[in-house]
């Protein structure tokens, strides 16, 4: 089996933004639940949730920092420039993470702020970038990559429903135009029409981070029919507990071994605050960890 460690993330507990409302559980409660379920690491979550560069290591409670989301408006040059200060602040927190082997150093996870049209109709159901917009978009991604590398971290770009890099075709175009590593998210790819097992093989030389997430295409189809957007899709359970959606989880684990992947696998189950109880979230994430353990991870 390849050298893989397993983490979880605040999004699995409905913690996306601190500005939404008070988090459904404190960071200490989340760290305790994740460590108690046998995870090795945790994602950063919204900046400040797990503390600052001064107290991050203490608040992780022995967990390693696996990575963290850095949201940038790659499709808008001016907004992108304004967002770089937040990226720099995130990298400062990363620098305070507990020491880890090279293959387990935290990955800055570059995320696209997305498209209102795609957010409203996720899954490749709305237009993306025009051909002439791709070079500028890719150049800004490359600038963010350079900034991360200058700070001593190798980033990975996260394709995501509702954004300009959503479908397998979008991912292919981004990989052609940049040298960024890819954060392969099995659930987002599945619901955008891709095959995660095939993607692991096809993009194996560019994968630097893996988010393991299940997806339910029936829930997505009903959400789209109802005119629900990406946020509501998450609230309805479009990202199911592992084994309850359509993800070929054994195939994913087997392929990670076949391609010799080393690094973090982060289990995520995107949900909205208030739509599921804290107790259920904790139970689900313990069960998700057990699912991978049964498969040898």
């Amino acid at each position: 089996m390849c050298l893989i460690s397993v983490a979880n993330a605040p999004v699995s507990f409905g913690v996306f933004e601190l500005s939404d409302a008070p988090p459904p559980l404190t960071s200490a409660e989340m760290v305790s639940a994740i460590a108690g379920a046998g995870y090795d690491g945790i994602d950063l979550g919204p900046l400040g949730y797990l503390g600052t560069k001064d107290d991050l290591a203490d608040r992780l409670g022995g967990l390693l920092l696996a990575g963290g989301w850095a949201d940038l408006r790659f499709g808008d040059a001016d907004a992108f420039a304004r967002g770089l200060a937040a990226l720099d602040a995130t990298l400062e927190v990363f620098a305070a993470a507990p020491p880890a082997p090279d293959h387990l150093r935290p990955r800055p996870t570059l995320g696209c702020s997305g498209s209102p049209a795609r957010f409203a109709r996720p899954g490749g159901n709305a237009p993306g970038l025009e051909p002439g917009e791709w070079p500028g978009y890719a150049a800004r991604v490359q600038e963010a990559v350079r900034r991360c590398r200058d700070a001593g971290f190798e980033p990975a770009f996260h394709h995501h429903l509702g954004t300009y890099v959503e479908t397998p075709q979008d991912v292919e175009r981004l990989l052609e135009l940049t040298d960024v590593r890819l954060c392969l998210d099995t659930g987002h790819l599945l619901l955008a029409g891709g095959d995660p097992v095939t993607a692991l093989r096809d993009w194996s030389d560019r994968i630097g981070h893996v988010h393991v997430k299940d997806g339910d295409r029936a829930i997505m189809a009903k959400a789209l029919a109802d005119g629900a957007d990406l946020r509501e899709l998450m609230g309805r359970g479009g990202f199911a507990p592992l084994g309850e959606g359509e993800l070929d989880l054994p195939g994913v684990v087997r392929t990670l071994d076949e391609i010799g992947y080393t690094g973090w696998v982060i289990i995520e189950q995107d949900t909205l605050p208030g739509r599921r109880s804290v107790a259920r979230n904790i139970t689900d994430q313990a069960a998700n960890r057990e699912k991978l353990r049964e498969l040898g991870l």
Side-chain angles (χ1 to χ4, degrees), residues 218-272:
I219 290 176
M220 182 172 178
K222 180 64 166 60
L224 289 169
D226 292 344
D229 63 12
L230 175 58
R231 186 175 178 86
E232 177 60 18
L233 170 65
M234 292 188 291
R236 292 186 182 193
F239 295 113
L242 292 183
E244 295 185 18
E246 296 161 278
L247 177 68
D248 178 7
L249 185 61
V252 166
V253 172
R254 184 172 59 251
T255 305
L256 287 170
D257 189 23
E258 290 172 0
I259 67 174
Y261 175 77
T262 62
W264 286 107
V265 161
I266 302 176
I267 293 176
E268 290 186 338
Q269 188 184 334
D270 297 3
T271 189
L272 297 184

Side-chain angles (χ1 to χ4, degrees), residues 282-295:
I282 290 173
T283 298
D284 277 353
Q285 299 324 306
N288 285 341
R289 180 65 190 94
E290 186 60 28
K291 288 282 186 185
L292 281 193
R293 189 176 287 114
E294 290 170 357
L295 293 169

Side-chain angles (χ1 to χ4, degrees), residues 67-147:
W69 183 269
D71 195 83
L72 290 162
R73 294 192 176 278
F74 295 107
D76 181 325
D78 291 338
F80 169 77
R82 292 192 298 271
L84 288 174
L87 173 60
D88 291 343
T90 300
L91 294 173
E92 285 184 3
V93 176
F94 273 34
D102 284 348
H103 71 292
L104 295 179
R105 295 200 74 209
R107 290 272 193 189
T109 309
L110 300 178
C112 172
S113 296
S115 154
R118 283 191 159 189
F119 190 90
R121 300 286 297 169
N125 295 295
L129 291 173
E130 296 292 335
E133 295 176 303
W134 270 106
Y137 186 97
R140 289 184 282 276
V141 171
Q142 202 65 53
E143 168 60 17
V145 170
R146 182 197 62 77
R147 216 171 182 97

Side-chain angles (χ1 to χ4, degrees), residues 42-44 50 56 60 63-67 94 97-98 104-106 264:
I42 185 172
D43 241 19
L44 186 64
L50 287 177
L56 173 71
L60 289 179
L63 294 174
L64 293 178
L65 184 65
F94 273 34
L104 295 179
R105 295 200 74 209
W264 286 107

